[in-house]
Amino acid sequence: MALTDIQARNARADEKPRKLSDSAGLYLYISTTGVKSWRLDYSYAGKRRTLTLGTYPQLGLANARELRDRAKGKLAEGIDPSLAKKREQLAIKAAAGTTFGLERRAFRHTRRP
């Protein structure tokens, strides 16, 4: 049975972290502190992996399902969605000029001898 937005909204923290299943590997992870995040369990190269898609309510159920479907599409193409996400984030940082290497070089040039 698929998860509803009302169930996601009303889910509360417990003594132990818990998962509310949606479908096709997507679930809402609820930490002991009450932080809710959408996660997708999948298998790549024979290993079990987990991809965090975003936090609830900033990322709603419909959007989480869309991201799940995109990740599954990448898997169908033979691409690890977790690595693809990391590459995308690095590309965004590089375009903004905020990668660690760029920051380190900038710090070196602004430092006084």
Side-chain angles (χ1 to χ4, degrees):
M1 186 159 103
L3 190 63
T4 65
D5 190 57
I6 292 172
Q7 290 171 318
R9 189 177 326 122
N10 292 335
R12 300 289 176 242
D14 206 349
E15 293 177 8
K16 294 182 181 179
R18 61 190 185 117
K19 301 175 184 180
L20 294 179
S21 295
D22 181 50
S23 59
L26 178 67
Y27 60 93
L28 184 65
Y29 178 85
I30 306 157
S31 72
T32 57
T33 61
V35 175
K36 301 173 188 177
S37 58
W38 293 109
R39 295 184 179 185
L40 173 66
D41 284 343
Y42 65 97
S43 181
Y44 185 78
K47 294 185 179 181
R48 183 186 174 282
R49 309 266 317 203
T50 299
L51 174 66
T52 301
L53 302 172
T55 57
Y56 181 86
Q58 291 80 12
L59 180 65
L61 177 57
N63 290 337
R65 288 176 176 159
E66 185 179 320
L67 291 176
R68 173 206 56 204
D69 293 343
R70 287 184 195 170
K72 294 263 185 180
K74 286 183 174 135
L75 281 170
E77 295 172 11
I79 300 168
D80 183 344
S82 182
L83 292 176
K85 180 180 176 182
K86 288 176 185 174
R87 285 186 188 124
E88 289 168 9
Q89 289 171 340
L90 284 173
I92 290 168
K93 287 180 181 180
T98 58
T99 63
F100 178 74
L102 292 173
E103 289 175 6
R104 193 170 126 219
R105 275 178 272 179
F107 176 74
R108 243 186 302 163
H109 295 298
T110 59
R111 201 172 69 191
R112 296 175 197 230

